[in-house]
Amino acid sequence: MEQSFTDKMKESLLELKKQILDQLVATNADFKQIVEGMESKDVIDVAADDIDRKLLETMGTQDLNRVKLIDNALARIEQGKYGLCIKCGHKIPEARLEAIPYALMCIECKSADEKRRH
């Protein structure tokens, strides 16, 4: 996968994550307090597990899953594995990644996975 495409997708993933978190801040007073509290403290001094626990309490399941998928995709970019299906190892088409930047599987494997679940 070309570095320019990967860089573009990384920016897209970071923007998507920011949008989800901004929406949570705008709609959830508890989450807003967490974020504002973090800004006033030294980030290093804030216990990560405490933040994770508070985030879990305030985030909806769907948003939480999307943030986890985004973080997973960002980690795969850092590992050089972004854009590879986690099932078969083949390249995920760029069009699919543009539509769903945090996609874990190619269309064939995702379809098979969904059929198996139903």
Side-chain angles (χ1 to χ4, degrees):
M1 188 153 299
E2 288 187 29
Q3 187 64 41
S4 61
F5 180 78
T6 303
D7 291 343
K8 181 177 102 173
M9 296 313 298
K10 183 176 181 177
E11 286 180 32
S12 177
L13 287 160
L14 291 170
E15 180 59 31
L16 186 57
K17 183 175 178 179
K18 182 182 181 308
Q19 287 173 5
I20 293 169
L21 296 178
D22 286 349
Q23 183 179 9
L24 283 168
V25 168
T27 60
N28 189 306
D30 292 336
F31 189 79
K32 187 174 184 177
Q33 285 180 326
I34 293 168
V35 172
E36 288 172 351
M38 286 172 54
E39 292 172 353
S40 65
K41 298 177 185 175
D42 184 353
V43 176
I44 296 172
D45 293 337
V46 178
D49 59 337
D50 186 45
I51 292 171
D52 289 344
R53 182 181 54 78
K54 289 177 183 175
L55 283 173
L56 288 171
E57 291 171 3
T58 59
M59 291 179 80
T61 303
Q62 187 176 18
D63 285 333
L64 177 62
N65 288 338
R66 286 177 54 205
V67 169
K68 284 182 178 180
L69 288 168
I70 291 167
D71 286 341
N72 187 301
L74 291 168
R76 288 194 323 271
I77 287 172
E78 296 303 315
Q79 297 165 354
K81 296 179 180 179
Y82 182 74
L84 299 176
C85 177
I86 62 168
K87 293 274 186 180
C88 69
H90 292 114
K91 284 186 179 181
I92 299 172
E94 288 185 5
R96 176 164 170 74
L97 292 171
E98 287 175 342
I100 308 170
Y102 46 81
L104 294 170
M105 293 181 253
C106 65
I107 294 169
E108 294 80 16
C109 289
K110 182 67 175 171
S111 295
D113 188 56
E114 288 176 357
K115 285 179 186 175
R116 194 180 66 236
R117 288 183 189 197
H118 295 302

